[in-house]
Amino acid sequence: MVIALIVWACIFHTKRRAKAELPPQVRYNLPIEMLYTLVPLVMVSVFFFFTARDSRDLEVLSGAPDVKVKVEAFQWSWRFTTTVDGKTLKPVVGQPVSDYTAGPQLVLPVGKKIEFELESPDVIHSFWVPEFLFKRDVIPGIPENNKGRKFEITTLDKPGTYAGRCAELCGVDHSRMLFNVKLVKQAEFDQYIATQAGSAQ
Ligand SMILES: [Cu+2]
């Protein structure tokens, strides 16, 4: 359509050039100038409102999560350290893999509040479990106990194994920085804790 209009303009509007008449001028047209000032202003304000509201909600920490998980992202895998009822389990450490089911597995109970604390010793990574509809950059150098490295979510109500990945290009094996989150019922989670507790540090 654009090409057709260009061709049409080239063919039918070349002869008039000789007349050198100015087209209708719209400078100092107050209604139009107000319109193109106010419309973008309103649009940006609306976007800003929803962004500010949602980013505030996403940063809320209840301070009373059911499970705490320390997530260490490194080139190129993950280390998960789970703490439940004051008990810290042995960390789960992964290696670069090409299938998320082969990556490190984070076991969590369904429908519970989980507080994640993110840490990176090297470059920026991004913790992403697509099914959770949540993603957060793992930025090195944020001091401990800083709110910027924590977030809280409530896990899905559906047991299953969910793919997780790094969502920030972080080096040669970025695409193999895969992991999985296994959501289980509370009873099964308790059992998991019991089996892991023996090797707790
Ligand atoms: Cu990464």
Side-chain angles (χ1 to χ4, degrees):
M1 197 179 146
V2 170
I3 290 171
L5 284 170
I6 291 171
V7 171
W8 174 76
C10 290
I11 294 172
F12 295 101
H13 288 269
T14 43
K15 286 175 204 157
R16 289 190 198 164
R17 202 189 293 151
K19 286 197 215 163
E21 248 174 46
L22 284 174
Q25 299 299 295
V26 290
R27 276 180 307 169
Y28 311 117
N29 185 321
L30 197 63
I32 289 181
E33 293 192 354
M34 278 175 70
L35 190 76
Y36 65 56
T37 308
L38 289 177
V39 168
L41 210 66
V42 169
M43 284 167 66
V44 170
S45 307
V46 170
F47 292 144
F48 177 78
F49 169 77
F50 286 108
T51 306
R53 186 198 64 181
D54 291 354
S55 46
R56 187 200 56 201
D57 290 354
L58 291 172
E59 279 168 13
V60 169
L61 296 174
S62 72
D66 298 297
V67 180
K68 280 187 184 185
V69 181
K70 186 170 181 189
V71 175
E72 287 159 277
F74 56 89
Q75 287 172 314
W76 291 275
S77 194
W78 307 83
R79 183 184 296 111
F80 301 120
T81 313
T82 307
T83 304
V84 196
D85 301 327
K87 253 188 294 179
T88 300
L89 308 185
K90 189 169 173 275
V92 177
V93 192
Q95 285 181 352
V97 287
S98 46
D99 179 0
Y100 75 90
T101 53
Q105 184 171 67
L106 175 61
V107 181
L108 292 173
V110 290
K112 288 286 155 72
K113 272 189 274 182
I114 317 290
E115 183 184 288
F116 290 93
E117 181 174 2
L118 307 174
E119 191 177 303
S120 165
D122 41 51
V123 299
I124 301 178
H125 301 274
S126 188
F127 179 79
W128 186 32
V129 182
E131 293 276 349
F132 287 4
L133 304 179
F134 202 104
K135 179 166 70 175
R136 178 66 72 88
D137 275 8
V138 189
I139 299 168
I142 300 180
E144 215 144 325
N145 290 319
N146 187 300
K147 243 183 121 233
R149 51 195 267 164
K150 289 183 182 173
F151 68 92
E152 189 177 295
I153 59 161
T154 301
T155 47
L156 303 171
D157 265 321
K158 225 171 76 194
T161 303
Y162 300 94
R165 54 191 83 243
C166 177
E168 182 75 50
L169 183 58
C170 59
V172 67
D173 260 345
H174 159 70
S175 65
R176 306 207 307 141
M177 198 168 154
L178 308 173
F179 65 98
N180 66 83
V181 177
K182 189 180 177 191
L183 293 185
V184 296
K185 296 238 166 72
Q186 185 63 48
E188 204 179 320
F189 184 68
D190 293 340
Q191 220 173 6
Y192 170 77
I193 298 299
T195 59
Q196 297 296 303
S199 48
Q201 293 175 330

